Amino acid sequence: MRSKVVFARMLRNRQTRYGLIALLLLLLLAYVGPFFGPHDWLEKDFTAFMEPPSAEHWWGTTQIGQDVYAVALHGMQKSIVIGFLVALISTGLAALVGASAGYFGGWLDKALMWGADLLLVLPSFLIIAIVSPNLRGGSWLWFVLLLAAFSWMITSRVVRSMTLSLREREYILAARYMGIPGWKIILRHVVPNLSSLLIIDATLNVSAAIIGEAGLSFFGFGVQPPDVSLGTLIAAGSDKVPGYSWLFLFPSGLLVLLVLSVNLIGDGLRDALDPGSNS
């Protein structure tokens, strides 16, 4: 019943509707669009270097003859996957760490929060920039883990604070007196009661992770060749804007639309799950 109420509130929000429609269209473009394109993203046309948009190459070609339409959509696929994976891992980690610290307390609480505070003061961009070159040639999933490792700390402290009050509720005290293990109480009672916060956090983390990936890839610390993402494409086209603007405009346009649509959905979720937040 509550999910229906939340969904109805979201649909009443005009910005949320626009965000959902835009995200759906972008997902269709990223995963269905390549099937309608005339070229594969790995294909090279040695008769068309740096060609502007045309009937043969809808969004033009790169300096090595790749079709920008195909390459940009493949890059958007990679950015979307990275964004959702980072959000899932970081929000899940924040929920487990924060709920465990708040529920068990004592030395575990101090140790977990000390670790979160330590990661908060560390320069995440610099650390990822130092570590990522050592991972070149490996899986891009290592990059996902690096981004997620520096994205959970603030949320975990919020979860901990909310868990401190939840653990004194009657149903949790009853479960504790019945001898149910603490980890089961956390998974069955604590985390589900924090679902509103976690859903909002996960949604907003998607856009933050996409921007983070694009920024790191722009400076060469993210997705590595021959693979591509929106960040690597924007970096490759940034110095060619005056004469070959399509190399920069199409990937950057996709990035802006993707982040904007996710943020609109996140704002709508926040208002729907917490009606008092927009007052």
Side-chain angles (χ1 to χ4, degrees):
M1 179 62 71
R2 185 172 185 270
S3 60
K4 293 181 180 180
V5 174
V6 170
F7 188 67
R9 287 176 184 163
M10 285 185 60
L11 293 182
R12 285 198 297 268
N13 188 312
R14 184 172 60 182
Q15 291 184 345
T16 306
R17 292 199 301 269
Y18 291 158
L20 286 169
I21 293 171
L23 182 61
L24 178 60
L25 291 176
L26 288 170
L27 290 173
L28 288 173
L29 178 63
Y31 291 98
V32 180
F35 294 105
F36 296 93
H39 300 279
D40 184 76
W41 79 277
L42 289 172
E43 181 182 338
K44 297 180 178 65
D45 187 349
F46 296 107
T47 64
F49 296 111
M50 307 286 281
E51 290 289 329
S54 63
E56 178 65 21
H57 298 282
W58 298 344
W59 291 359
T61 61
T62 67
Q63 57 268 40
I64 59 174
Q66 288 180 294
D67 185 72
V68 174
Y69 172 82
V71 174
L73 296 192
H74 181 80
M76 184 162 65
Q77 291 178 13
K78 184 67 67 177
S79 295
I80 290 172
V81 171
I82 290 175
F84 277 94
L85 282 178
V86 170
L88 180 64
I89 295 171
S90 62
T91 301
L93 187 59
L96 291 177
V97 171
S100 298
Y103 181 82
F104 292 110
W107 67 267
L108 182 63
D109 180 20
K110 293 179 180 178
L112 292 176
M113 290 301 99
W114 180 85
D117 291 339
L118 177 62
L119 288 176
L120 276 174
V121 301
L122 292 177
S124 58
F125 186 93
L126 181 60
I127 292 176
I128 295 175
I130 293 172
V131 174
S132 60
N134 298 321
L135 302 176
R136 288 179 180 174
S139 173
W140 56 270
L141 291 174
W142 287 111
F143 179 60
V144 170
L145 295 177
L146 281 174
L147 282 175
F150 292 96
S151 305
W152 59 271
M153 295 82 70
I154 295 177
T155 304
S156 71
R157 297 196 68 87
V158 178
V159 170
R160 173 187 175 273
S161 299
M162 298 177 70
T163 303
L164 288 174
S165 62
L166 281 175
R167 71 178 184 180
E168 303 302 326
R169 299 285 178 88
E170 291 80 1
Y171 57 90
I172 291 190
L173 292 175
R176 190 184 306 166
Y177 292 144
M178 291 172 62
I180 298 177
W183 64 270
K184 284 189 178 181
I185 294 176
I186 290 174
L187 294 178
R188 291 180 182 178
H189 301 293
V190 176
V191 172
N193 277 281
L194 300 174
S195 59
S196 299
L197 167 69
L198 298 176
I199 290 172
I200 295 170
D201 180 72
T203 304
L204 296 179
N205 273 342
V206 172
S207 59
I210 291 173
I211 293 175
E213 179 277 323
L216 287 163
S217 296
F218 182 89
F219 291 104
F221 302 125
V223 175
Q224 300 298 319
D227 207 350
V228 296
S229 70
L230 292 178
T232 62
L233 296 175
I234 292 171
S238 60
D239 60 342
K240 302 177 179 63
V241 174
Y244 309 96
S245 58
W246 60 88
L247 295 176
F248 176 83
L249 292 179
F250 287 112
S252 59
L254 290 175
L255 178 64
V256 170
L257 290 174
L258 186 59
V259 172
L260 179 61
S261 63
V262 173
N263 281 341
L264 289 175
I265 295 172
D267 288 342
L269 271 172
R270 181 194 61 198
D271 295 339
L273 291 167
D274 183 13
S277 64
N278 59 356
S279 57

